[in-house]
Amino acid sequence: MFGCITSNNIALLKELLGKARKVALAGHVHPDGDAIGCVTALALYLQRELGKEVVCMFPDAIPDSLEFAKNPSLKYLWGKTEDADLIILMDCNAFSRTEVLGESLAASKAPKVLIDHHLNPDESSFNLVFSTPDISSASELTFWILKALGWDLKDLEIGEALLTGMTTDTNNFANSVFPSTFTMASELIAAGVDRDVLLQKIYFSYRENRVRLMGYMQNEGLTILPGGAAYMILTKEIQNRFDLKEGESEGLVNVPLSIKEVRLSLLLKEYEDHFRVSLRSKKGTSAQQCAVKFFNGGGHENAAGGRLYPATDLGGKSLEEYVKIALLESL
Ligand code: 5GP
Ligand code: MN
C-alpha cells in the first residue's frame, strides 16, 4: 500500500513485537487528536490482540477537549517514562519532539520503531521506520500497518481511535486527504465505527468561551498583510479575558485561509517565556519552510509550527516587525 509498509518491514515489526513483553508508545509534546489517536489505537491492539503489557507516554497532558480520545483500559503517563523492551515513537519525526521524555527514550537500549508522517524523519535513531508524508495522518499509517499485521477491524474502540486521529489531522477531510484516506474511513465505517458520534465529540462539544474568543480574534485580532499573509497574536491577556483553556484555540489559525487572497496564516499564542507558533498555507506556499527558517520548528508543507523566544529570537526587532518580515519572506 505505502512504500514504507513492505513485507520486510512488517516481518521485522512482527519479530520485534514477538520478542517484547512490554511496549512503550510515545507521542509528541502538546498532543493532538492524531497523536493520542494513533498511540491509543496501537496500544489497544498490542494489549488486547497480542497480550502485551503497554504504556502510553506523552511529555505533557492533553487538553480537556481531547479527553474522550483516551481509552480507560490503557495506562497513560504524562511527563515521565517507564522502562520497556520496545519503544514505538508515533506522529513525530524525532525523539526531540517528545521534549522532556526525549533524552531517556533515545538513551534506552530497547529497540526503537518510528511510525510517522512528517518530513525529515530521524532514521538513524530507529531500528525500523514507517514514514511517509503522502498520507493524511499517523493514525492512517497505523491503520494500514495494523491491517498488514492482520487486524480484523472488529475492535471498534481501535477503529474509533484511528478515525479520531485521521479526522482531526485532516480537519474533517479538508486537507491532506488521499485516496487511501477515504478507503480507510470507508472500511472503518463499514466495520461499525459511528462517525456521527465522533464528530459530536470532536467538533460539537466546545465551551461558549471558545466561540466568543474565535469571534473576537477574527474581529479585533486579525492583521492582513498585502501580498497574501495574515497573522493573529493570542496574548496572555486575551487568553485570560476569555478564560481560555489549552486546546480551545485549535482551528483558529485556519480561519484566515478562507479569505481568497490569503495564502499563509500565522497564529502566535503567548506562554511564559515564548510564543507557540502555528502556521497554515495554501498549496504553493510553504508553511513548513517558514516554521523552519523563522520559528525553530517544522511540520508539514501546509501545516507547521514552532516556537518563538522573544528574548533571543527577535534580533532587535519588535514582535510584530519580526512576524511581518517572516511572513512576507515566506510568500
Ligand atoms: P499545530 O499548529 O497544529 O500546533 O501544528 C501543526 C503541525 O506542525 C503539526 O504537524 C506539528 O507536528 C508541527 N509542529 C508544531 N509545532 C512544532 C515544533 O515546535 N517543531 C516541529 N518540528 N514541528 C511542529
Ligand atoms: Mn499527525
Side-chain angles (χ1 to χ4, degrees):
M1 180 94 207
F2 289 95
C4 61
I5 308 183
T6 59
S7 46
N8 276 351
N9 278 351
I10 291 298
L12 181 52
L13 179 60
K14 282 184 176 165
E15 188 188 322
L16 292 172
L17 288 170
K19 286 183 187 156
R21 187 187 57 81
K22 178 172 172 187
V23 183
L25 301 96
H28 59 76
V29 68
H30 291 295
D32 58 8
D34 191 28
I36 191 82
C38 65
V39 164
T40 296
L42 184 56
L44 286 173
Y45 176 81
L46 297 179
Q47 181 171 285
R48 292 175 176 175
E49 314 221 1
L50 301 188
K52 304 293 172 190
E53 184 182 346
V54 295
V55 56
C56 306
M57 306 184 305
F58 291 91
D60 52 355
I62 49 171
D64 289 351
S65 53
L66 281 175
E67 276 293 317
F68 77 89
K70 286 189 330 202
N71 190 287
S73 59
L74 292 173
K75 175 176 180 182
Y76 294 88
L77 294 179
W78 315 99
K80 54 180 192 242
T81 58
E82 229 173 60
D83 285 341
D85 315 315
L86 178 66
I87 293 170
I88 306 183
L89 182 69
M90 306 185 77
D91 196 30
C92 55
N93 58 6
F95 283 117
S96 58
R97 293 277 293 130
T98 65
E99 306 229 324
V100 291
L101 312 184
E103 241 175 74
S104 103
L105 291 177
S108 165
K109 291 200 165 52
K112 302 176 185 78
V113 177
L114 178 68
I115 299 179
D116 183 42
H117 68 128
H118 292 87
L119 299 165
N120 311 318
D122 176 22
E123 306 214 4
S124 63
S125 298
F126 297 89
N127 304 72
L128 173 60
V129 172
F130 294 93
S131 172
T132 171
D134 297 325
I135 198 163
S136 63
S137 54
S139 295
E140 186 191 333
L141 187 53
T142 304
F143 172 83
W144 294 113
I145 292 170
L146 287 179
K147 294 250 306 181
L149 287 173
W151 178 45
D152 59 12
L153 278 75
K154 287 201 178 114
D155 187 331
L156 294 184
E157 291 183 6
I158 297 177
E160 216 172 272
L162 294 171
L163 197 62
T164 297
M166 182 275 277
T167 302
T168 54
D169 250 29
T170 60
N171 279 313
N172 199 12
F173 294 91
N175 51 261
S176 328
V177 172
F178 294 78
S180 59
T181 315
F182 289 110
T183 309
M184 167 201 183
S186 169
E187 289 191 17
L188 288 174
I189 293 165
V193 176
D194 191 333
R195 183 165 177 270
D196 293 333
V197 168
L198 263 191
L199 293 184
Q200 202 66 35
K201 293 182 194 169
I202 300 172
Y203 297 113
F204 301 100
S205 300
Y206 286 113
R207 296 186 309 148
E208 177 183 336
N209 308 39
R210 176 184 188 267
V211 178
R212 298 205 180 277
L213 180 273
M214 299 284 257
Y216 173 81
M217 290 303 286
Q218 289 169 68
N219 262 308
E220 313 283 333
L222 174 63
T223 304
I224 298 178
L225 303 176
Y231 69 89
M232 291 183 269
I233 302 177
L234 189 45
T235 61
K236 284 195 127 192
E237 190 274 316
I238 301 172
Q239 294 174 49
N240 291 338
R241 193 170 354 140
F242 286 87
D243 182 30
L244 201 69
K245 289 190 189 157
E246 193 57 47
E248 288 189 322
S249 55
E250 191 68 40
L252 180 57
V253 65
N254 296 309
V255 176
L257 284 186
S258 65
I259 301 166
K260 187 176 181 189
E261 292 76 20
V262 173
R263 291 183 282 137
L264 183 60
S265 169
L266 175 144
L267 174 69
L268 289 182
K269 187 172 172 205
E270 188 177 10
Y271 284 80
E272 217 50 59
D273 63 342
H274 70 280
F275 288 86
R276 264 191 76 198
V277 180
S278 279
L279 282 154
R280 299 291 184 272
S281 63
K282 287 181 182 155
K283 232 182 181 146
T285 303
S286 179
Q288 193 251 357
Q289 280 176 29
C290 182
V292 170
K293 193 165 169 195
F294 296 101
F295 298 109
N296 312 299
H300 311 282
E301 189 62 9
N302 298 125
R307 284 181 184 191
L308 184 66
Y309 292 84
T312 48
D313 290 347
L314 299 180
K317 298 180 187 65
S318 75
L319 179 65
E320 298 217 22
E321 275 168 2
Y322 185 90
V323 164
K324 283 178 188 168
I325 291 168
L327 289 173
L328 293 176
E329 283 193 16
S330 304
L331 284 172

